[in-house]
Amino acid sequence: MMNEKWDKYFFGELTEEEKRELFQELEKDETMKREFAEMQNIVGLSGLLPREDDSLKGERNLEALMSRQEKKLKRKRVFQIIRYAASAAAIIALTWMLAWYMFVGSETPSFTEITVPKGQRVHLILPDGSEAWLSSLSTLKWPSVFSSDARTVELNGEGFFTVTKDASRPFTVQTKKYDVRVLGTEFNVYAYSSSEKFETDLLSGKVRVSSNDDPEEIVNLLPNEKVSLVDGKLIKSSSSFGGKQYREQGIYDFEELTLGEVLERLEQWYDISFTVDDPSLMSKIISGKFRQSDQIETILKAISRADLFKYKIVSQREITIY
C-alpha cells in the first residue's frame, strides 16, 4: 500500500490531503523518511535528463547518477524510478540540461541544489507540486520534504514560480537581500547575487516582498504589478511581464529595454563580459526576440544593425561594445 502511495506521489496523482497523510506516515519512520527523500531527489533528477527520444540513453544516464549517490536503496524500488525517469523525460518535454546536483548528507533534512548551465533553462516540480522555471546560471535549493508550516526555497538568479495554493504553509523564495512570500500565485523573481538588480513581477495572486536588512521595508503586490530596486529602495510600478515565450519555447523577449539591461542579461545567460567604451550607449532602447539556442554573436549582429553600436569579440568570454 505504501509503495502504491509513493508511486502516485511521484506521478503527481495524490490530492493535497493524501500528500499530508503520506508525510504524516513518513514522520513516524525515520528509515522510511530517509529512503523517501533519496528517491525524491532521484526523481527530481529524472526531469534533468536532456530531451531525447532515446529512452535507453536516459536510463543509462539516470543509473550513473544513482550509483554516485552511494545509497542502499532496494533494487526493486530503484528500477521503478528508472522506468519513471524514462517516461518523465518524454512527458515533461524539457529543453535543458543539468549543470550539477548535490545531495546534502544522509540525515534529515536533506536538500536538492541545482545550478543551470549557461544558455540553458530548467523546469522543476517541487515537493508540493509547485513549479519553477530557472534561467541560465541560476541556482535553486529546496528541501526534499517541506515542513508542516512553511515552504521555503533559496534562489540565486532568476526564476518564474507557479505556486500550489496552501493557506497553512506560505511559500517563500529567499534571495540574498529580499524574501518573496506567497500562498499560491504566479510570479517572477530576478535576483542574481552578482548583480545589484532585484525585481519581482506578479502575474496572479498576491505576494509580499520584504527586506532581510530592514524589517519595515515591505511591498505588497497585486497582479500586473512589479517591484524593483531603485537607488537602494524598493519601488512599485506596473508590470507587463513577457516571459511566457521564454518558459515554453526558449525565446528571449526584449521589450523596450536599455542596452545596459540587455547586456546584463546576455552576460548572465552566456557567462561572458562586456566592456562598453561609450557609456552613453547604455541608455539606448532595444526591442527584439531571440531564441535561447542563438549564439551570442548572432544576437549582437541583429541588434547592432540598427546602428546603435558596434562590437568586437576580444576573446571567447570578452566582448567590447563601441
Side-chain angles (χ1 to χ4, degrees):
M1 186 64 180
M2 182 59 72
N3 288 350
E4 182 180 347
K5 283 186 179 180
W6 286 21
D7 292 339
K8 286 185 176 181
Y9 173 83
F10 291 125
F11 277 102
E13 297 174 355
L14 290 184
T15 65
E16 290 301 315
E17 180 60 30
E18 289 172 332
K19 288 180 184 178
R20 281 191 287 270
E21 291 177 357
L22 173 60
F23 294 148
Q24 289 173 357
E25 292 173 354
L26 292 174
E27 289 295 333
K28 299 175 183 177
D29 189 323
E30 284 299 319
T31 300
M32 186 177 297
K33 186 176 180 179
R34 284 196 297 271
E35 183 178 342
F36 180 85
E38 292 165 359
M39 289 176 59
Q40 182 152 330
N41 284 322
I42 294 171
V43 169
L45 285 171
S46 72
L48 300 177
L49 297 173
R51 183 179 181 181
E52 299 183 37
D53 293 329
D54 182 359
S55 61
L56 291 178
K57 184 172 182 179
E59 289 186 13
R60 287 196 297 270
N61 289 345
L62 188 61
E63 283 181 305
L65 286 167
M66 286 192 295
S67 67
R68 290 199 294 271
Q69 299 306 310
E70 297 180 350
K71 303 296 182 181
K72 296 180 180 179
L73 295 177
K74 294 179 181 179
R75 188 175 182 82
K76 177 181 177 181
R77 298 299 304 172
V78 169
F79 279 101
Q80 284 179 344
I81 299 305
I82 291 176
R83 287 196 296 272
Y84 170 85
S87 62
I91 293 172
I92 298 175
L94 303 177
T95 57
W96 42 263
M97 56 193 298
L98 174 66
W100 52 272
Y101 164 87
M102 179 172 63
F103 183 75
V104 184
S106 58
E107 69 279 358
T108 57
S110 58
F111 294 87
T112 303
E113 181 172 327
I114 290 172
T115 297
V116 186
K118 63 179 180 179
Q120 301 293 328
R121 70 190 190 283
V122 166
H123 175 220
L124 300 170
I125 298 179
L126 300 174
D128 66 332
S130 297
E131 297 181 72
W133 286 261
L134 305 180
S135 295
S136 176
L137 300 178
S138 298
T139 297
L140 188 72
K141 180 179 179 180
W142 71 94
S144 298
V145 179
F146 287 127
S147 70
S148 60
D149 58 358
R151 296 171 290 170
T152 302
V153 301
E154 298 175 24
L155 173 70
N156 177 6
E158 182 178 21
F160 182 91
F161 297 87
T162 298
V163 176
T164 300
K165 190 172 183 178
D166 186 345
S168 65
R169 295 191 300 167
F171 187 100
T172 301
V173 178
Q174 294 182 337
T175 70
K176 184 177 180 181
K177 295 183 178 180
Y178 299 95
D179 289 350
V180 182
R181 182 175 177 176
V182 304
L183 295 177
T185 185
E186 285 188 312
F187 62 100
N188 190 77
V189 179
Y190 184 100
Y192 286 90
S193 60
S194 59
S195 171
E196 291 298 318
K197 181 177 179 178
F198 172 85
E199 195 167 87
T200 296
D201 292 77
L202 179 62
L203 279 72
S204 65
K206 296 180 181 179
V207 305
R208 185 186 73 183
V209 180
S210 59
S211 171
N212 296 331
D213 297 326
D214 183 1
E216 295 184 359
E217 188 176 19
I218 297 174
V219 176
N220 295 309
L221 296 180
L222 296 175
N224 299 318
E225 291 183 339
K226 71 177 180 181
V227 62
S228 307
L229 184 62
V230 180
D231 296 330
K233 294 293 183 180
L234 292 177
I235 303 298
K236 184 164 63 173
S237 61
S238 61
S239 171
S240 56
F241 182 74
K244 184 176 181 180
Q245 283 187 305
Y246 172 66
R247 299 196 309 273
E248 296 179 353
Q249 304 173 40
I251 296 176
Y252 304 134
D253 188 356
F254 300 142
E255 198 66 43
E256 297 293 314
L257 295 182
T258 65
L259 178 61
E261 290 177 298
V262 172
L263 294 182
E264 183 178 31
R265 296 288 183 113
L266 293 177
E267 284 182 330
Q268 290 156 350
W269 287 332
Y270 293 94
D271 194 21
I272 59 177
S273 176
F274 288 101
T275 299
V276 181
D277 289 345
D278 183 359
S280 67
L281 294 174
M282 300 291 276
S283 61
K284 299 292 184 180
I285 301 300
I286 299 291
S287 294
K289 293 183 179 181
F290 307 96
R291 293 192 176 277
Q292 178 184 23
S293 56
D294 290 341
Q295 297 296 317
I296 182 63
E297 188 170 6
T298 302
I299 297 177
L300 291 176
K301 281 181 179 179
I303 60 179
S304 66
R305 285 174 183 166
D307 293 329
L308 294 177
F309 64 89
K310 295 181 180 180
Y311 67 91
K312 178 182 179 182
I313 299 179
V314 179
S315 66
Q316 187 176 0
R317 297 183 62 182
E318 184 178 359
I319 298 175
T320 298
I321 302 294
Y322 62 96

